[in-house]
Amino acid sequence: MFYRTSLQAAAALASISLLAGCGLFGDEDSGDGEKIIVGTTSEPTTLDPAAAWDGSWELFRNVYQTLLSFPTGSSAPQPDAAEDCRFTDASNKVFQCKLRQGLTFSNGDTLDAAAVKHSIDRIRTIDVEGGPNGLLGSLDRVETSGQDTITFRLKAADATFPFILATPAMSLVPPSEYPADKLREDGKLTGSGPYVLSEYKKGEKAELVKNAKYQGFANMQNDGVSIRYFQESDVLVEALKKKEIDAIYRGLTSNRVVEIQEKREGTEHLQLVETVGADIRYLVFNSKDPMAGKLAVRRAIAQLVNRDTLVASVYQGTAEPLYSMVPKGISGHTTEFFDRFGEPDVKKAKEILEEEGITEPVPLTFWYTTDRYGSATKAEFEELKRQLDASGLFEITIEGRPEKDFQKGYKAGDYPVFGRGWFPDFPDPDNFIAPFVGENNVLSTPYENAEITEQLLPQSRRESDRGAVTKQFERAQEILVDDVRLLPLWQGKLYVAASEEIGGGERALDPQTVMQMWELYRKASW
């Protein structure tokens, strides 16, 4: 997602393939009453959804409601606070939702059409820099009819709009507690989701209790969840080993995943759920740089990078090689970079450079963020340097900066080549193409391609059947490979680690890779 990448980590997901490590698929009866304690390194940056386009969504999904959402097993948005939503015109420019009857927020306020309009309008009015207003570019205005009908009028056809409404960015809030023109600043939270936030201590914990007023799709399997926030993966895993927490989501390093998979000492009582993730890592080339701006240089790098070795040596199989910006599991995924460049080949890379008159080793600096994607990022860039230097065609220097300073650098155009990650806003190929092209793209490195922005994307957004837009996105990926302005490297796998007493982990991840805490339960017996 646009800002999620800065702060963390298209038909819909064809499926979410879950591989059980040690049996989170248990058929035991669920028990509720005791809280489930979940550890994570993904702490919210804000409690106000009007300011969040980041990992705060992990909390929001569980305490707020959206008009549409992704129930377990779904691959397209389904009604949540809404009873029904649909485009009412053939051009996909008018989207209308009718609310469930009798909805209230946890404070007792009515959740009606006016509250929905307030929730969406304040995102646009407040317009936090890097905030979720970036998702609403196609929205013209919000209208209400009576107490239960909301109509979204769009500036242009946008069949992805239902997916946008299903993101936690579009969480619904009561007007009485969330000002129309500024963020809520009392450190509290009021929603209509499955849980109520009963206590929050920044950097420490969030206590969630079942919301007695909730009406929605969630089938509650527990009475409450305690989320504990950790800074270090090692400390997090040790807490799970000692049974101080029951489960982990976000924060497992590849070493720790392997440790649990192999049942090493201290992990015998732990289990693991694995799913193919939609988060990706890639390199960005600055076209204004004297060397990275040369197409032959970019293509030579694409010809040399060995993704299999990178994944095996750095991530120990906890990631997969990626050959397009649209990852596996998303409709429209291709292997275009492999199809075009094949296996890594020094001879071919040398020929690419020599055809452009480049006969000396190319000096380039690769930049990475030191504190956003985990400690393995440095090792990843060291491996990229090793591979390119070993060819004799490049002389690579690597530099790292903390995320805050790193962002300033790439936004100022200071870096010839830099690495980024992308966590999707919604499971549609549009969200893996559109953010990276255009003059004002998420990377602050203008990449204008009229065929993509003026033809392919508008064509695809006129099509409600997202399975019917494969050709447009396949063509877009061909263009990306022609230009090599972006070089996909790998896509991640997602893991939930838990003690043997916890069930439901295989159902807890939605297509946005956000944990649905209500699916977890403590097994009644073994």
Side-chain angles (χ1 to χ4, degrees), residues 243-262:
K243 298 189 177 183
E244 296 170 352
I245 60 176
D246 298 309
I248 291 174
Y249 180 55
R250 300 283 190 207
L252 288 170
T253 63
S254 58
N255 288 336
R256 290 300 195 169
V257 168
V258 172
E259 178 184 6
I260 296 171
Q261 285 174 331
E262 295 180 352

Side-chain angles (χ1 to χ4, degrees), residues 64-81:
Y64 290 111
Q65 229 176 343
T66 45
L67 288 170
L68 298 156
S69 191
F70 292 96
T72 300
S74 70
S75 59
Q78 305 295 323
D80 187 6

